[in-house]
Structures are given as structure tokens and as C-alpha cells.
Amino acid sequence: MSYKVKLDIFHGPLDLLLHLISKNEIDIYDIPVSIITEQYLEYLELMRSLNLDIAGEFLVMASTLMYIKSKMLLPPSEEADEEEEDPRADLVERLLEYKKFKEGAVWLNGQDILGQNTFARSALILDLEAKADERDKEETLSLENISVIELFEAFRTVFSKASQHKSMEISFSKLSVAERIQEVLEILKEKNNVEFDDFFIKPYDRSFVIITFVALLELIRLSMIKVYQSMPFGKILIMLRDVETEQ
Amino acid sequence: MNDVELKGLLEAMLLLSHKPLTIDNIIKIIDKDKATVKEAINELIVAYSDDERGFYIEEVAGGYQFRTRERYSFWLKKFEGLRPPRLSRAALETLAIIAYKQPVIRAEIEDVRGVDAGGVLRHLTGKKLIKVLGRKDVPGRPLVYGTTKEFLELFNLKDISSLPTLRDSVDEPEMGQ
Amino acid sequence: MNDVELKGLLEAMLLLSHKPLTIDNIIKIIDKDKATVKEAINELIVAYSDDERGFYIEEVAGGYQFRTRERYSFWLKKFEGLRPPRLSRAALETLAIIAYKQPVIRAEIEDVRGVDAGGVLRHLTGKKLIKVLGRKDVPGRPLVYGTTKEFLELFNLKDISSLPTLRDSVDEPEMGQ
């Protein structure tokens, strides 16, 4: 399979873990490590099946999780004093620290950002835009209202529903990602908003679902589409970037 | 120069200045004390505070700046060349870490986010939102980063201490963003 | 949009526009006829005509523009001078070479920097930071360059002899910038 999506749109393993904790409504101080590890690995598996580049940090975290899990299975040693440290402590601390700064980022984003609704005569805004070179495009992604993780979550749902009578052997021969990108663009040109799930109707077999999802990821990476979500875990809407109509 | 002239001059300086205008900038040019200048600025702020005016004076990044009113943003956005700055979540998170922990080195940033920070740091430096403050006196002499005046200007902050305290709260539901 | 709002919006547009704002620019953005816009602008012109205001609306080059009042020019010139010069590294290096070696010819500058200096010299001449002092009496009669008064002003130097002595230091760390 030649099509390889580089998933630099990911925010990293800590982000994924926070997402899983929030999704499962888990107490961060008392993480059921085996459940979370299982879900985390499922997630990596999913990324792998999509032929996505998985950053090394994700693998490091996977082994950390498995290590913690094994530590927790061990019966507490009798000799050690009672205050033996919870093997999860370090991880929890890191998660809390990261969460704190995530909130800082949310606060920054909620500020009256210059150039969003208020403008100054300063060259600042124009400068910012002028510097939008190639690398900039790569890094500035159009995921304004949704995290990629949630997109993956939606994909997982669709994927698990897709008919399984075909073997997991994926044949990309019928429809290429490039062709599917074209189709997706056609659909989006016709309608303003398309719900994420609506891209996965009809044949509904796994290879179709995967190709469609990879096509969507690619379009996000190219800043050609916008992905919206009205509320956490809510419906996901997709629209073209250019035909965006204000208010 | 009388008070009315002083206000006129300040207006002119606000118009010409491409960065927030500081009291220090002003007293370098005119022979007045800080208090007099501050008072004149406060009067100007009031004069421009009428909600129907096209712009007002914002106190930001240690200085003052004319800014257009939010109510006109719908039309102003159609102006050529004015497009909102787009910062990815990774960029925002990294900015938050630098803003709160500065002076900070790359390894510390990567520790918090759990991912490589090289690309984002280059991006933010290019946008002048962060800068290299120097090098840390530890093995490897890593670069030390901090936020810039442009950062304050962009996020409408008077100074770095106007950042809210980050709580260690865990009871709030995680926002999906 | 009522008339008051229209005027507010026009004010905001004038603030943001770096070029004279034409009626055509305006009606592209707001759904009003030319006459209405023209009338609103005329009212604004009157509102800004108070001689004590820092700036006024000038009808220029087929459009409208905020301009600072002449009466403040004495101070504003000083203010412009304070604006940090936006000089590239190449320009700064070339300036330094010229400042210390003047009178100097292009070939000598290029010898030091090891790259063509044509573009930078034109740029610096355009900014009035250097000037042609004459021609050197050698084959080819090349132009001789030196720094200007504006150069001294910009770098806040009394005279060219107040330039610091160059040390041959190499131990300073290279800033990542």
C-alpha cells in the first residue's frame, strides 16, 4: 500500500489519554489502567490499519502504560512500607500538568485576539499572513473546532459498523484515495455542510470506509476543508474552506 | 504645549505607531512628565470610548493602541489583506506553556506536551510570538524561550501578569474544543 | 446599517487602510450607494476638521486618508526616527562595514562580506543611510560610499567617531534568533 498519511496533526499521546479519560468519565486520580491501556492500544491499531505514521512518542507511552499495568498486577510486597508509591503517580502528574496548559491554551484562544474581530493599524496582522509560507501551511491546520481525536472516534464508530464479511485485506484497487478526494470535493461543492457520517453511506465496506477517511484526513492536512463540532462528542460537520460564508 | 495640543499629538502618535505606544516612547519626544501624559491619554480613552466610533484606544502590551470596534468586524473582515491569524491547537498549547513557564527550554516544553516541539517553535519564532532570550547555563547550553510584545499585542494582554492563574482543577469536564 | 454606524465603519476603514481609501473600495464592502457614502465621508471630514485634533481626513489620489496635522510635525519627525529600523542582517553588516571603513568602494565591501553588495547598497541609499561621496581615482572610477546624517540619527550617534571600537572577539555565543 503506497498511500501514507503523515499524521503530524496529532497532539500526542497525552492528548489521547486525556481524551480517553474524559470519554470514559474516569477519575484522573484513579485511572483504571487496564481499560485505558486497552483503548489506547486499540487506537494505535486503528492508526496502523489506516497506514498512518505513528510517532515514536505514542509507542513509548504504550510501553509506559503496559509497564504500569504490570506493576499494578503485582501483589503489594509485604516488606515495603505502606506508602509505596502508586505506579500511576508519575503519569497522573504529567496528565494534570498538561491539562493545566491545555486550559491555558483555551483561555488564550478565547481572548479578543487581534485580527479576529478587532484590528489595529499595525503591520502585525499583515506580517503574520505574509509569512504564511509552505511550512506554515503544514502546521496551521483547519481543525478550529474539533480535535483530530474526535474525528478518529467518529471513524471508529463507522468502521466498526462497516460490513465485516470482507477480510481485513484491504484492496485499494477499486477506488483510489485521490479519486475519493475528488468525489468528496464534489459533494462538498454541492452542499454546504455535510455530516461526517454521510460520507460513509452506500457500499459501506471497510476498504471504502478507510479510503474515505484517509481522503478526509488528507483534505484537512491540505487545509481544504473545515471540520466543525457543535458540542463535545456531538455531530461532526464538514465544509469546504473557500465557500465559507460569514455569519 | 498645552493640554489640548498634547492630546492632539498623542492622537497623531497613536495613528502613526505600528506597535502599542508606550509612555516611555512618548516622553522621549515631548518634555512632559509621565503623570501628565497618562492623564492626557486617559482623557483620550474616554473621548474615543463612544460605542459608535470606528475605533477605540486599547491598553495593551505595556502601551496604547487604536483598535477597530468589534461591531464592525463583519465588514472589516472583507477588507483585503485582513485575515484572522490562524494558530493551531499545538501552537496555542505551546504558547501557553512558554507564556507561563518562561524562561523555558525546549525540553521542558516537550515534557509537558509529550511531543516534539521543534516545528512549532520555529513557526512561533517566525511569527514573532516567541523569541530566544539566551542560552541556559547547563550542559548543551540549550536556547531559552520567552514570549514577545507581539504575543501580548495579539492576545490583547496588558502585560504578562494579566494571564490568569492556571488552576490544577480536575473536576471540570474536558472540553472537546 | 444606520448613518451613525456607517460613519463608524468608515472611520475604522480609514484607520486600517494603508492606501487612500476610495469610494469604490468602500461600496465593495458595504451595500450603500455612492452618494450616501460620500455624504457620510463629508460629515466625517467636518468632524475631524478641528485644528487641534491629531489627524484629519485628506482627499488624496482619488481617495481618503488619515493624515497627521502639520502643527505636530516637529515632534512626529522625532517619533518616526525612534521607530526601530527594519534592516536585514545583510543591510546591518554592510552598514557596519561602510561606517568603519568609509570612504569605501563596493569591491571592498564585497571583499569583506564575500557576497554581491549591489542590492543592499541600493536599499541603504534609498533609505538615506548611506550616500555616494564621489568616485575613487583608480581604473574604472568606482563610486565611493559613506554614511549619512540620518545614519547617525538612526543609531543615536553624535558623530562617526562615537562608534565603538571593534573588538576581535569570537567567544560570544551565536544567538539562535
Side-chain angles (χ1 to χ4, degrees):
Chain A
M1 204 193 299
S2 61
Y3 208 93
K4 192 119 182 159
V5 174
K6 198 165 166 264
L7 204 64
D8 43 2
I9 38 183
F10 250 113
H11 296 280
L14 292 173
D15 214 25
L16 174 53
L17 283 178
L18 281 178
H19 172 81
L20 294 176
I21 288 165
S22 137
K23 195 186 80 164
N24 293 295
E25 294 175 355
I26 285 168
D27 176 4
I28 201 162
Y29 289 106
D30 188 21
I31 299 170
V33 180
S34 52
I35 295 174
I36 289 296
T37 304
E38 195 182 308
Q39 292 189 2
Y40 183 90
L41 293 177
E42 254 175 47
Y43 209 91
L44 289 200
E45 200 41 57
L46 184 72
M47 283 158 74
R48 223 171 258 137
S49 71
L50 283 163
N51 204 28
L52 299 172
D53 250 355
I54 299 169
E57 297 98 353
F58 279 95
L59 304 175
V60 173
M61 181 58 75
S63 58
T64 304
L65 285 171
M66 287 188 282
Y67 175 74
I68 296 172
K69 190 175 145 188
S70 67
K71 283 276 264 189
M72 295 196 59
L73 290 176
L74 292 175
S77 57
E78 280 166 25
E79 292 158 35
D81 46 290
E82 285 180 17
E83 288 180 41
E84 195 170 355
E85 208 192 340
D86 188 325
R88 298 169 296 184
D90 279 350
L91 182 62
V92 170
E93 200 179 305
R94 285 190 73 191
L95 286 171
L96 287 175
E97 177 81 350
Y98 178 45
K99 193 164 183 286
K100 208 167 76 178
F101 289 106
K102 265 171 80 90
E103 275 159 24
V106 169
W107 185 83
L108 281 178
N109 200 32
Q111 277 294 95
D112 182 12
I113 296 175
L114 185 62
Q116 229 154 47
N117 289 308
T118 54
F119 306 92
R121 202 175 158 78
S122 73
L124 178 66
I125 299 309
L126 299 168
D127 268 353
L128 287 179
E129 203 51 48
K131 292 225 166 82
D133 57 12
E134 292 311 306
R135 197 203 305 136
D136 192 13
K137 261 186 200 154
E138 256 176 48
E139 283 168 22
T140 316
L141 292 144
S142 26
L143 295 161
E144 280 137 3
N145 296 22
I146 186 178
S147 105
V148 188
I149 292 175
E150 276 161 278
L151 199 60
F152 262 78
E153 211 58 64
F155 169 71
R156 252 167 58 111
T157 316
V158 178
F159 190 65
S160 62
K161 274 193 259 166
S163 70
Q164 293 185 31
H165 58 79
K166 293 211 168 177
S167 71
M168 269 304 287
E169 181 120 18
I170 296 155
S171 141
F172 273 65
S173 58
K174 283 184 205 146
L175 180 71
S176 75
V177 172
E179 282 166 350
R180 187 62 181 148
I181 285 176
Q182 282 312 315
E183 286 180 16
V184 167
L185 286 175
E186 289 302 317
I187 296 170
L188 286 170
K189 266 178 210 153
E190 227 166 88
K191 304 170 192 172
N192 258 341
N193 283 320
V194 179
E195 219 176 281
F196 179 82
D197 289 2
D198 290 350
F199 281 109
F200 300 92
I201 41 173
K202 286 197 308 200
Y204 228 58
D205 76 3
R206 288 197 155 191
S207 72
F208 175 82
V209 166
I210 288 177
I211 287 175
T212 302
F213 188 64
V214 172
L216 287 174
L217 281 180
E218 192 61 12
L219 285 167
I220 290 169
R221 200 178 66 78
L222 295 170
S223 283
M224 290 174 78
I225 59 176
K226 273 186 160 186
V227 188
Y228 277 103
Q229 193 174 34
S230 52
M231 52 191 265
F233 310 116
K235 273 184 185 169
I236 295 169
L237 292 174
I238 293 168
M239 62 169 73
L240 281 182
R241 238 186 190 288
D242 295 343
V243 295
E244 163 202 357
T245 42
E246 302 283 328
Q247 297 186 348
Chain B
M1 185 171 18
N2 64 34
D3 279 6
V4 176
E5 275 185 315
L6 174 57
K7 279 200 277 180
L9 176 58
L10 291 175
E11 266 185 309
M13 288 172 83
L14 281 167
L15 181 76
L16 291 183
S17 184
H18 279 209
K19 286 198 237 174
L21 180 69
T22 65
I23 304 262
D24 284 343
N25 289 155
I26 299 163
I27 59 174
K28 252 186 222 160
I29 285 167
I30 50 175
D31 186 28
K32 298 267 183 193
D33 60 85
K34 284 194 180 192
T36 313
V37 171
K38 187 98 180 63
E39 203 189 306
I41 288 183
N42 285 338
E43 282 175 35
L44 269 183
I45 289 177
V46 173
Y48 277 90
S49 66
D50 184 341
D51 189 46
E52 276 145 354
R53 298 291 303 265
F55 47 92
Y56 65 103
I57 299 171
E58 178 80 87
E59 196 175 344
V60 67
Y64 301 88
Q65 188 174 49
F66 277 142
R67 290 197 171 187
T68 61
R69 286 201 182 276
E70 182 153 355
R71 63 187 297 181
Y72 299 115
S73 72
F74 171 75
W75 294 283
L76 294 176
K77 274 183 192 163
K78 299 187 189 175
F79 233 7
E80 251 173 277
L82 285 184
R83 259 177 292 154
R86 281 167 50 207
L87 287 170
S88 65
R89 232 161 59 124
L92 278 170
E93 287 177 10
T94 307
L95 265 179
I97 294 166
I98 296 172
Y100 281 98
K101 287 177 94 94
Q102 60 189 321
V104 63
I105 63 169
R106 173 167 164 179
E108 293 172 304
I109 299 165
E110 292 179 339
D111 263 5
V112 176
R113 295 197 60 240
V115 288
D116 178 87
V120 184
L121 288 175
R122 264 196 308 281
H123 177 73
L124 293 174
T125 312
K127 289 204 167 194
K128 292 196 183 155
L129 296 173
I130 61 168
K131 66 180 173 199
V132 172
L133 303 175
R135 286 181 185 272
K136 193 167 179 178
D137 211 6
V138 296
R141 299 186 44 72
L143 295 173
V144 173
Y145 294 91
T147 54
T148 59
K149 275 202 172 177
E150 283 84 353
F151 165 79
L152 297 175
E153 193 184 345
L154 184 66
F155 290 98
N156 202 15
L157 297 166
K158 269 189 203 171
D159 48 51
I160 202 69
S161 68
S162 0
L163 283 171
T165 316
L166 290 183
R167 291 160 308 138
D168 289 295
S169 76
V170 285
D171 43 32
E172 275 188 304
E174 166 81 358
M175 272 303 151
Q177 250 284 354
Chain C
M1 188 173 13
N2 63 31
D3 279 4
V4 177
E5 276 184 313
L6 174 57
K7 279 200 276 182
L9 177 58
L10 290 174
E11 266 184 311
M13 288 171 83
L14 281 168
L15 180 76
L16 297 184
S17 184
H18 285 252
K19 285 186 274 181
L21 183 69
T22 65
I23 303 263
D24 284 342
N25 290 155
I26 299 164
I27 59 176
K28 242 188 242 165
I29 287 170
I30 50 180
D31 189 28
K32 296 272 181 188
D33 59 82
K34 286 193 180 192
T36 312
V37 172
K38 189 96 181 62
E39 202 187 306
I41 288 184
N42 285 337
E43 284 175 37
L44 270 184
I45 289 177
V46 173
Y48 277 91
S49 67
D50 184 341
D51 187 44
E52 276 144 353
R53 298 291 304 266
F55 46 90
Y56 64 103
I57 299 170
E58 174 86 285
E59 197 173 344
V60 64
Y64 302 87
Q65 193 172 42
F66 277 142
R67 292 215 170 166
T68 57
R69 285 202 184 275
E70 177 95 38
R71 63 186 298 177
Y72 299 115
S73 66
F74 171 73
W75 295 283
L76 294 176
K77 268 185 202 152
K78 289 207 242 174
F79 180 56
E80 286 285 295
L82 282 182
R83 202 182 272 181
R86 297 195 57 176
L87 290 172
S88 65
R89 218 185 147 96
L92 276 172
E93 286 175 11
T94 308
L95 258 183
I97 296 166
I98 297 172
Y100 283 99
K101 286 175 92 93
Q102 62 188 322
V104 63
I105 63 167
R106 173 167 165 181
E108 292 173 305
I109 300 164
E110 292 177 340
D111 264 3
V112 177
R113 295 197 58 239
V115 288
D116 179 87
V120 183
L121 288 175
R122 264 196 305 283
H123 178 72
L124 292 172
T125 314
K127 291 213 162 191
K128 293 197 181 151
L129 294 171
I130 59 168
K131 67 183 174 196
V132 172
L133 303 172
R135 284 184 186 272
K136 193 166 179 179
D137 210 6
V138 295
R141 296 186 45 73
L143 295 173
V144 174
Y145 293 91
T147 54
T148 60
K149 262 196 191 172
E150 284 83 355
F151 165 78
L152 296 176
E153 242 175 68
L154 183 63
F155 290 95
N156 210 9
L157 297 166
K158 266 195 200 149
D159 47 54
I160 201 69
S161 67
S162 9
L163 279 172
T165 318
L166 290 183
R167 288 168 306 139
D168 291 296
S169 77
V170 284
D171 48 33
E172 276 188 299
E174 170 79 358
M175 280 301 157
Q177 240 310 324

